[in-house]
Amino acid sequence: MQSRFGRLAGACALIASFLVAAPIQAQEAKDNSAKHDHSHKHSHDHSSDAERQIYKGYFEDSQIQPRQLTDWQGEWQSVYPYLQDGTLDPVMAHKAEHGSKSAEEYKAYYETGYRTDVDRIVIGADSVTFQTEAGAFEGQYIADGFEILNYEKGNRGVRFIFRKTAGDDSAPTFIQFSDHRIAPSKSDHYHLYWGEDRQEILKELTNWPTYYPAALNGDEIVHEMTAH
């Protein structure tokens, strides 16, 4: 009897120890999880802040790295037709709510900025095909460095430049990408400048044909634009 009682008492003590330990272990796990979540969010927030600063044009020269044409590989569409048909009117209204111009003034500004007759661009590993209503022309391109531009507001931009090595005569000798990124990364949209004189193209600051993935519809482009 004494032996059975002893075994029962021992079992009860063991169960009690588990019951006490379980909340402590659960709390420790919760604390560790919270620490992990905090460190992850903390790191992510800093990364986002850094990316936002670069997007706005504030960065160090040491942060810039060469890029290849594959960063822009894919099929792209001009947003100019969407501006013309009114699809981007909500974007202009959004800018007016947060900026210094009216929606009409912003639309006039982007009318100049987005204007182009190249409504589609297809980019391969080393080729660029420009499509217009009159037809298409293609060139093969290699990286030709980058240039840093200083703007009046105090921020800066980087143009990644590519030079034609072969292709149709109609294909421009130089193309210059600007997509608010300064190191190798897949682009989600970009401004493109092109022409025959490398330095003259760099002076162009008012007309910047802008391209988004061809798979997006007008409403999706509006969402992308207003998210920035």
Side-chain angles (χ1 to χ4, degrees), residues 13-89:
L14 183 61
I15 292 171
S17 68
F18 279 131
L19 291 174
V20 171
I24 294 174
Q25 291 170 349
Q27 183 61 44
E28 287 176 350
K30 182 178 179 181
D31 291 343
N32 289 336
S33 176
K35 288 177 182 177
H36 175 75
D37 288 346
H38 174 73
S39 63
H40 174 74
K41 291 176 182 176
H42 185 73
S43 174
H44 177 72
D45 288 344
H46 274 277
S47 176
S48 296
D49 288 343
E51 289 172 357
R52 279 195 290 269
Q53 287 300 104
I54 290 173
Y55 187 89
K56 293 177 181 177
Y58 298 97
F59 50 81
E60 301 296 329
D61 289 1
S62 59
Q63 293 176 274
I64 306 171
Q65 299 177 32
R67 298 172 69 183
Q68 298 301 314
L69 197 59
T70 48
D71 277 4
W72 298 274
Q73 191 165 357
E75 189 170 348
W76 305 85
Q77 61 179 318
S78 167
V79 299
Y80 185 49
Y82 292 120
L83 181 75
Q84 291 179 301
D85 69 14
T87 299
L88 299 187
D89 285 355

Side-chain angles (χ1 to χ4, degrees), residues 47-59 63-65 67 71-72 95 109-110 114 147 149 151 153 155-160 176-193 208-212 224-225 228:
S47 176
S48 296
D49 288 343
E51 289 172 357
R52 279 195 290 269
Q53 287 300 104
I54 290 173
Y55 187 89
K56 293 177 181 177
Y58 298 97
F59 50 81
Q63 293 176 274
I64 306 171
Q65 299 177 32
R67 298 172 69 183
D71 277 4
W72 298 274
K95 290 182 178 295
Y109 172 74
Y110 284 93
Y114 289 160
E147 295 285 349
L149 302 184
Y151 303 133
K153 291 191 300 183
N155 59 336
R156 303 190 298 167
V158 179
R159 300 261 189 100
F160 290 92
Q176 302 181 356
F177 290 90
S178 174
D179 62 0
H180 311 284
R181 300 167 189 262
I182 60 173
S185 177
K186 292 295 291 184
S187 188
D188 55 6
H189 78 278
Y190 59 87
H191 312 292
L192 189 65
Y193 309 77
W208 13 266
T210 301
Y211 296 86
Y212 275 73
E224 290 290 317
M225 288 184 170
H228 288 298

Side-chain angles (χ1 to χ4, degrees), residues 1-8:
M1 184 73 173
Q2 181 66 30
S3 176
R4 289 178 60 192
F5 179 79
R7 287 198 298 272
L8 179 61

Side-chain angles (χ1 to χ4, degrees), residues 200-211:
E200 283 300 315
I201 304 169
L202 288 171
K203 296 177 184 178
E204 177 56 74
L205 300 174
T206 58
N207 175 232
W208 13 266
T210 301
Y211 296 86

Side-chain angles (χ1 to χ4, degrees), residues 71-122:
D71 277 4
W72 298 274
Q73 191 165 357
E75 189 170 348
W76 305 85
Q77 61 179 318
S78 167
V79 299
Y80 185 49
Y82 292 120
L83 181 75
Q84 291 179 301
D85 69 14
T87 299
L88 299 187
D89 285 355
V91 178
M92 303 302 121
H94 177 78
K95 290 182 178 295
E97 291 174 1
H98 299 85
S100 58
K101 299 182 178 70
S102 68
E104 292 74 17
E105 289 171 327
Y106 274 113
K107 189 167 185 175
Y109 172 74
Y110 284 93
E111 166 68 31
T112 300
Y114 289 160
R115 184 182 301 126
T116 182
D117 63 348
V118 176
D119 53 18
R120 214 167 192 81
I121 293 178
V122 179

